[in-house]
Amino acid sequence: MFTVAALYHFTRFADPVALRAPLLALARAQGVRGSLLLAAEGINGTIAGSRAGIDAMLAHIRALPGCAELDWKESPAAEMPFGRMKVRLKREIVTMGQPDVDPRARVGHYVQPQDWNALISAPDVVVIDTRNDYEVAIGTFAGAVDPGTRSFGEFPAWWAENAERFHNKRIAMFCTGGIRCEKSTNFLLGQGVQDVFHLKGGILKYLEDVPAQDSLWQGECFVFDQRVSVGHGLVQGDNAMCHACRRPVTPADRTHADYEEGVSCPACIGDHDAARRERFRERMRQVRLAQARGAAHLGDGAMPEA
């Protein structure tokens, strides 16, 4: 059994480049895999390994400048969900493209998972899912507004077009682990919205803490590793991943005529020409050969929350 840790922290790194090599070296020494993003605004990512390996990584990260209060969520995995370890340097640890947004300055009111149901059931509250459309498609909270965005960077434009719909409403926002809401609630406060709330710890913490019989969550939660999705109790879900477009595919999708493992799914069948699909088929042949040898194919990587 492996421990999976999803983490983020907003802080000011004077030299994120200098942090990369020690993180990568420690991860390799501890057998930890996954993906971490470093930027001047902080750190974000998901890693997996043994209990001792994850503890060593978390201790190292907490010792980085300003990271003593690091927040993370843990879940189990029966198999290693990542093929390798990556530490990448980015302009933002979650890309919104709004240079004036700074979660370190202020964010919305945090709501604990046990208090979330009461808040989002109130008649004067609008619930907004800040995740991407392919994530929302496999699960969300009952009654939540889906902005239909393909990336988080589209959220500000969506808000500008729809803000009047939510006049005189309290706004409750949520995302997978909480990082997008740190930026989106700061953004809405900057737009003059008075009452902004967000789910502390995100969907992952809600699914961990709130019993299924009391839950307002519907479906499964997309996660940024090879498990693809989790349900209540953070148990691995029934969704797989299309390795052509990186979107989740449901059991029904996998019976569709447009689905070919590693090559296409109903969502991306028209996105690639025949030559590219043939390259995908060759990749799948290499993946299967690696699996037959008991090795992980290096194309299997992590996807930090974006």
Side-chain angles (χ1 to χ4, degrees), residues 110-304:
Y110 290 111
V111 181
Q112 296 296 331
Q114 61 267 28
D115 301 322
W116 182 248
N117 287 358
L119 173 68
I120 68 174
S121 299
D124 65 332
V125 171
V126 171
V127 188
I128 299 177
D129 193 331
T130 66
R131 300 172 304 150
N132 301 333
D133 53 4
Y134 62 87
E135 300 171 75
V136 179
I138 65 169
T140 191
F141 282 105
V145 174
D146 173 15
T149 52
R150 292 176 64 92
S151 70
F152 187 49
E154 296 177 1
F155 182 83
W158 174 85
W159 176 259
E161 295 173 358
N162 291 272
E164 287 302 316
R165 294 169 50 191
F166 313 121
H167 184 62
N168 289 333
K169 294 286 188 178
R170 293 188 291 162
I171 305 295
M173 310 174 83
F174 65 92
C175 58
T176 307
I179 185 170
R180 277 175 278 197
C181 289
E182 301 281 354
K183 284 196 169 183
S184 59
T185 59
N186 177 272
F187 173 76
L188 259 61
L189 290 168
Q191 297 295 304
V193 181
Q194 297 297 314
D195 292 315
V196 186
F197 303 83
H198 54 131
L199 177 58
K200 178 69 172 175
I203 302 161
L204 295 179
K205 189 63 175 172
Y206 182 92
L207 293 178
E208 181 180 15
D209 288 359
V210 176
Q213 64 269 22
D214 299 330
S215 176
L216 296 181
W217 178 261
Q218 298 176 336
E220 295 179 356
C221 177
F222 181 85
V223 290
F224 296 83
D225 59 64
Q226 296 301 319
R227 294 172 300 167
V228 183
S229 65
V230 296
H232 285 92
L234 302 182
V235 175
Q236 184 168 339
D238 295 325
N239 291 277
M241 180 181 291
C242 173
H243 289 281
C245 66
R246 310 297 283 178
R247 295 185 181 97
V249 285
T250 66
D253 289 333
R254 299 197 292 276
T255 66
H256 196 281
D258 290 336
Y259 178 73
E260 181 179 350
E261 185 182 5
V263 178
S264 65
C265 72
C268 72
I269 186 63
D271 293 347
H272 309 296
D273 60 21
R276 194 168 188 188
R277 286 199 293 272
E278 187 53 41
R279 290 199 296 272
F280 291 158
R281 289 189 184 97
E282 176 57 30
R283 179 188 180 280
M284 282 306 302
R285 282 192 283 269
Q286 295 302 320
V287 168
R288 293 186 181 109
L289 287 171
Q291 290 171 341
R293 297 193 304 269
H297 188 270
L298 290 182
D300 296 334
M303 297 183 297

